[in-house]
């Protein structure tokens, strides 16, 4: 995917804003100051899963991309591509979800679009959302601000969304009450920025999980990150399913989780604010930025050794044995 | 306890004690199983061992040892009309002579991934106008569930289910490795899953006849450290026995019921392994009563031997005689994103494990 983006789209659309390849584009817009602008498409299967649905996902995904850019999300657009014959009752259910998530995130759905395509041309429904938010002048987050010694935090259990989806697809005969973590993080992030306006970096953990996010951060900042694997919160159920399928929980997608990188002196304050918030109750400090001379992610393993946590490649496939 | 760093430290200390007494002798232990390789990499276990104790990865990744010709046959079958080619996940990206099942799927073939062979049953029923062809790669671990599924299919009169029989048996391959002139193996860390089915006694010939100690290990890092320690004790005492470091799951006799199910559907046949050529009695073909499930025979195809890509050393790497760094393609034209050989595809593959360490410059941290 990364190659596809870089070789085809980035080279074709190349400009200073796009080439940053951040979660959101950061734009200076005259008297409006700094704006964050982002878009995302949602093609999830199944459309409804424990803890959420494609509608909630579409709002949260875009809101979170704006929030981790340091922005306060303001306006969203919602475009729906609907397959002919898709039940109106489900469409209403999804729309209700979109409305509820937007209200929770305090964003206005300012515009949208609807297309109906013939049967077979879409799997039920695809949703594309775009969003705009404003970034306070004093907030500036980016990989270039990351320093050696910075603390790395995560706002809770990882892998819940990916495993809930795997189970929701019914491909494997596992029974579980596990729910997706899909949630808008703008409120929590706003609280964090209030106590730590000098925070260095944030990223939401979506496809590729925490392993992909940490590797992208390392690569973009040119610094190494060391994490204590035992400190990364993983539910027992998630770890059991991953173990059975031969998948690393660190590579599994999330929709309500982010990593925060802040100066070490602010670490305890940020952690306390996160843990007081509904979406950060199980937040933890998982590692730090270290001097190593290479942009890698190093994991301290449970048995006291070290390993490289690599960038997940290709799609996750269960192992044979 | 199993992930307890203190238990790991205690075991490492004991290992260091024996290693020191054995020094300067270099002891080479082979972890046969791909899942062990994955655990060793993920837990950073090699870094905890003394320098004269070397772990080499063996042929225990079923997708890696499947010969390219068989993958090409599966791709050909997948390209035929009204065929649904079904496989386990990590088989999808393994290159045959000229492509992978993933590439075939991108080209329009109906290729699907399942986790358990029991899913084949529903697939066959729901797609009666198609041939369901299951590419059954794996070792003794997956053979019973494949066999059981075919027994059910036979009873239920399901006629559109076929199997490319690519299951392999590990003990014959270990016997070949134990006698290899180009590699001296001082001990085998034997696979726990396979042993749960066939029993630890299946490795008696390796230990007794070929004088290489074998210890069956579980899949926690501490299990593997215990197996290493038990092997070193045998090396120190110049013994060659089969032992079990995974008593909670494995017995010497194994799972008799599973063994009967395997024997009902499959018989031992000579089988080609990538990197080994033909190993006598190391594969599973169909018994007479189940021959109608043979996908290759039903399609009237002949499976060619198939050739690995020029320059690919996966064969030698699977036998433990070459390291990935000795392969000219490694890390340049052959990467996890652009695999030329199988060993870089799955996280269990030796090259994949080495690739991540190499790109990070693991030695100096």
């Amino acid at each position: 995917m990364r190659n596809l983006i870089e070789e085809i789209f980035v080279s074709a659309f190349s400009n200073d804003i796009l080439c940053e390849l951040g979660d959101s584009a950061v734009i200076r817009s005259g008297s409006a100051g700094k704006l964050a602008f982002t878009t995302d498409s949602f093609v999830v299967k199944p459309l409804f899963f424990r803890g959420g649905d494609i509608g909630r996902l579409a709002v949260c995904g875009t809101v979170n991309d704006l929030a981790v850019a340091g922005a306060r999300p303001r306006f969203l657009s919602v475009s729906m591509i609907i397959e002919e014959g898709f039940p109106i009752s489900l469409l209403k259910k999804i729309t209700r979800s979109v409305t509820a998530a937007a209200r929770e995130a305090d964003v206005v759905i300012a515009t949208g679009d609807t297309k109906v395509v013939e049967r077979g041309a879409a799997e039920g429904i695809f949703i594309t959302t775009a969003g705009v938010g404003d970034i306070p002048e004093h907030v500036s987050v980016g990989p270039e601000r990351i320093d050696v010694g910075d603390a790395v935090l995560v706002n809770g259990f990882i892998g819940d969304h990916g495993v809930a989806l795997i189970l929701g697809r019914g491909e494997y005969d596992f029974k579980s009450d596990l729910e997706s973590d899909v949630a808008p993080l703008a409120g929590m992030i706003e609280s964090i920025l209030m106590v730590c306006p000098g925070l260095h970096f944030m990223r939401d953990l979506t496809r590729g999980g925490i392993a992909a996010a940490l590797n992208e951060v390392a690569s973009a900042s040119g610094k190494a990150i060391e994490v204590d694997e035992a400190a990364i919160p993983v539910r027992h159920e998630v770890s059991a399913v991953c173990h059975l399928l031969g998948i690393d929980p660190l590579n599994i997608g999330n929709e309500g989780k982010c990593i925060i990188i802040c100066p070490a002196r602010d670490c305890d304050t940020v952690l306390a604010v996160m843990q007081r918030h509904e979406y950060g109750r199980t937040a933890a400090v998982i590692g730090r930025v270290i001097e190593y001379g290479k942009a890698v992610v190093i994991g301290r393993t449970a048995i006291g050794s070290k390993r490289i946590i690599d960038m997940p490649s290709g799609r996750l496939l269960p192992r044979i044995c | 306890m199993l992930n307890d760093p203190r238990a790991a430290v205690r075991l490492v200390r004991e290992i260091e004690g024996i290693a020191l007494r054995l020094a300067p002798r270099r002891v080479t232990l082979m972890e046969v199983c791909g899942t062990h390789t994955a655990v060793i990499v993920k837990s950073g276990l090699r870094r905890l061992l003394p320098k004269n104790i070397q772990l080499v990865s063996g042929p225990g990744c079923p997708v890696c040892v499947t010969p390219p010709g068989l993958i090409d046959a599966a791709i050909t079958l997948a390209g035929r009309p009204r065929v649904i080619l079904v496989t386990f996940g990590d088989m999808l990206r393994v290159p045959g002579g000229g492509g992978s099942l993933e590439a075939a799927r991108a080209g329009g073939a109906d290729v699907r991934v399942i986790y358990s062979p029991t899913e084949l049953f529903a697939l066959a029923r729901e797609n009666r106008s198609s041939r369901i062809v299951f590419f059954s790669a794996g070792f003794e671990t997956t053979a019973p569930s494949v066999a059981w599924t075919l027994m059910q299919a036979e009873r239920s009169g399901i006629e559109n289910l076929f199997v490319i029989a690519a299951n392999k048996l590990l003990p014959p391959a270990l016997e070949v490795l134990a006698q290899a002139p180009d590699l001296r193996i001082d001990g085998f860390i034997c696979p726990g899953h396979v042993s749960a089915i066939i029993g630890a006694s299946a490795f008696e010939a390796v230990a007794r006849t070929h004088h290489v100690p074998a210890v069956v290990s579980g899949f926690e890092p501490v299990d593997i450290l215990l197996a290493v320690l038990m092997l070193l004790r045998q090396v120190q005492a110049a013994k060659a026995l089969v032992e079990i470091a995974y008593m909670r799951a494995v017995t010497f006799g194994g799972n008799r019921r599973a063994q009967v199910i395997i024997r009902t559907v499959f018989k031992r046949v000579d089988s080609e392994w990538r990197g080994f050529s033909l190993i006598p009695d190391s594969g599973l073909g169909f018994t007479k009563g189940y021959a109608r499930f043979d996908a290759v025979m039903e399609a009237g195809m002949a499976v060619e031997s198939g050739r690995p890509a020029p320059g690919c050393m996966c064969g030698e790497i699977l036998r433990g005689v070459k390291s990935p760094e000795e392969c000219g393609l490694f890390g340049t034209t052959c990467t996890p994103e652009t695999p030329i050989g199988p060993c870089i595809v799955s996280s269990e593959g030796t090259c994949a494990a080495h690739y991540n360490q190499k790109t990070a410059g693991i030695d100096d941290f």
Side-chain angles (χ1 to χ4, degrees), chain A residues 172 244 301 305-306 315 319, chain B residues 43-44 105 115 348 364-365:
Chain A
Y172 312 114
L244 276 169
T301 69
S305 188
K306 288 181 181 179
R315 73 186 188 103
R319 281 199 322 252
Chain B
S43 60
R105 182 160 77 174
Y115 182 67
E348 293 175 11
D364 56 350
F365 78 81

Side-chain angles (χ1 to χ4, degrees), chain A residues 183-217:
Chain A
L185 299 177
M188 183 189 72
I189 288 174
E190 201 174 342
S191 309
I192 296 170
L193 284 169
M194 277 167 72
V195 296
C196 182
L199 187 149
H200 288 163
F201 187 80
M202 296 181 276
R203 168 143 294 176
D204 57 339
L205 311 178
T206 52
R207 186 195 294 265
I210 196 168
L214 290 170
N215 273 285
E216 281 165 15
V217 174

Side-chain angles (χ1 to χ4, degrees), chain B residues 1-14:
Chain B
M1 167 66 191
L2 288 172
N3 274 322
D4 186 353
R6 286 168 303 183
V9 168
R10 276 198 302 274
L11 286 166
V12 169
R13 284 210 187 110
E14 280 198 65

Side-chain angles (χ1 to χ4, degrees), chain B residues 96-138:
Chain B
S100 65
L101 284 165
E102 191 173 48
R105 182 160 77 174
D110 192 348
V111 178
R112 303 189 194 180
V113 170
I114 57 166
Y115 182 67
S116 163
T118 51
E119 295 167 50
L120 292 169
F121 219 58
L123 209 56
R125 283 202 163 134
E126 287 160 15
N127 299 278
R128 287 186 191 276
S129 59
S130 296
R131 283 181 164 77
I132 312 298
V133 177
F134 177 53
F135 192 173
S136 177

Side-chain angles (χ1 to χ4, degrees), chain B residues 36-65:
Chain B
H36 280 154
T37 305
V39 173
I40 289 166
V41 171
K42 206 177 150 191
S43 60
L45 203 144
R46 276 198 184 90
R47 302 177 53 76
L48 293 178
L49 295 179
K51 290 246 179 300
N52 61 326
I53 310 299
Q54 186 191 18
L55 291 183
V56 295
S57 305
C61 169
V63 302
C64 295
V65 294

Side-chain angles (χ1 to χ4, degrees), chain B residues 65-320:
Chain B
V65 294
T66 300
L70 212 49
I71 296 172
D72 295 339
I75 292 170
T76 305
L77 272 175
R80 293 196 176 172
R82 290 189 302 285
V83 166
I84 301 174
L85 197 288
V86 185
T87 181
F88 289 130
D90 47 6
M91 196 74 221
L92 211 57
R93 298 182 58 215
V94 177
S100 65
L101 284 165
E102 191 173 48
R105 182 160 77 174
D110 192 348
V111 178
R112 303 189 194 180
V113 170
I114 57 166
Y115 182 67
S116 163
T118 51
E119 295 167 50
L120 292 169
F121 219 58
L123 209 56
R125 283 202 163 134
E126 287 160 15
N127 299 278
R128 287 186 191 276
S129 59
S130 296
R131 283 181 164 77
I132 312 298
V133 177
F134 177 53
F135 192 173
S136 177
F139 294 115
E140 292 92 332
T141 333
T142 51
S145 55
V146 178
W148 186 86
T149 304
L150 295 188
M151 286 165 74
Q152 299 305 308
E154 176 71 4
R155 248 176 240 154
S156 312
I158 288 179
E159 291 180 347
N160 60 333
L161 177 61
F162 303 94
V163 171
I164 300 173
N167 277 80
K168 301 205 181 297
L169 306 171
L170 266 173
L174 298 203
E175 288 189 61
V176 171
L177 285 165
Q179 306 168 72
D182 46 0
L183 175 74
R184 185 197 153 91
I185 293 172
D186 298 294
F188 285 114
I189 300 171
C190 292
H193 296 151
V194 165
S195 307
I197 303 291
I198 60 175
S201 58
F203 299 104
E204 287 289 345
V206 172
R208 293 246 168 98
T209 316
H210 304 292
H211 309 290
V212 181
V215 175
V216 176
S217 171
F219 295 93
E220 298 297 337
V222 169
D223 285 325
I224 298 174
L225 283 171
L226 177 62
V228 168
L229 176 64
M230 288 166 76
L231 282 169
L232 289 181
R233 282 180 183 151
Q234 288 201 46
V235 170
Q236 190 183 22
K239 286 182 178 170
L241 305 171
V242 177
E243 292 181 307
I244 303 173
Y246 192 32
M247 295 298 261
R248 61 187 189 279
V250 175
T251 61
F252 277 91
N255 184 332
R256 304 279 184 201
R257 187 162 168 249
Q259 292 165 18
V260 170
I261 290 172
I262 296 177
R263 278 201 301 272
T264 305
V265 175
F266 294 120
K267 63 177 183 190
R268 283 173 168 251
V269 293
D270 298 346
S271 180
E272 189 190 341
W273 296 51
R274 194 187 288 245
F276 285 76
S277 70
L278 207 69
I279 303 180
D281 282 339
S282 69
L284 293 175
F286 291 98
T287 54
K288 213 170 170 187
Y290 285 84
R292 76 166 178 86
F293 288 102
D294 189 332
V296 175
M297 202 175 72
E298 199 268 343
M301 289 171 62
V303 176
E304 303 289 327
S305 199
R307 279 189 187 189
C312 173
M313 284 189 181
C314 279
E316 289 91 333
I317 290 162
L318 285 165
R319 286 189 284 117

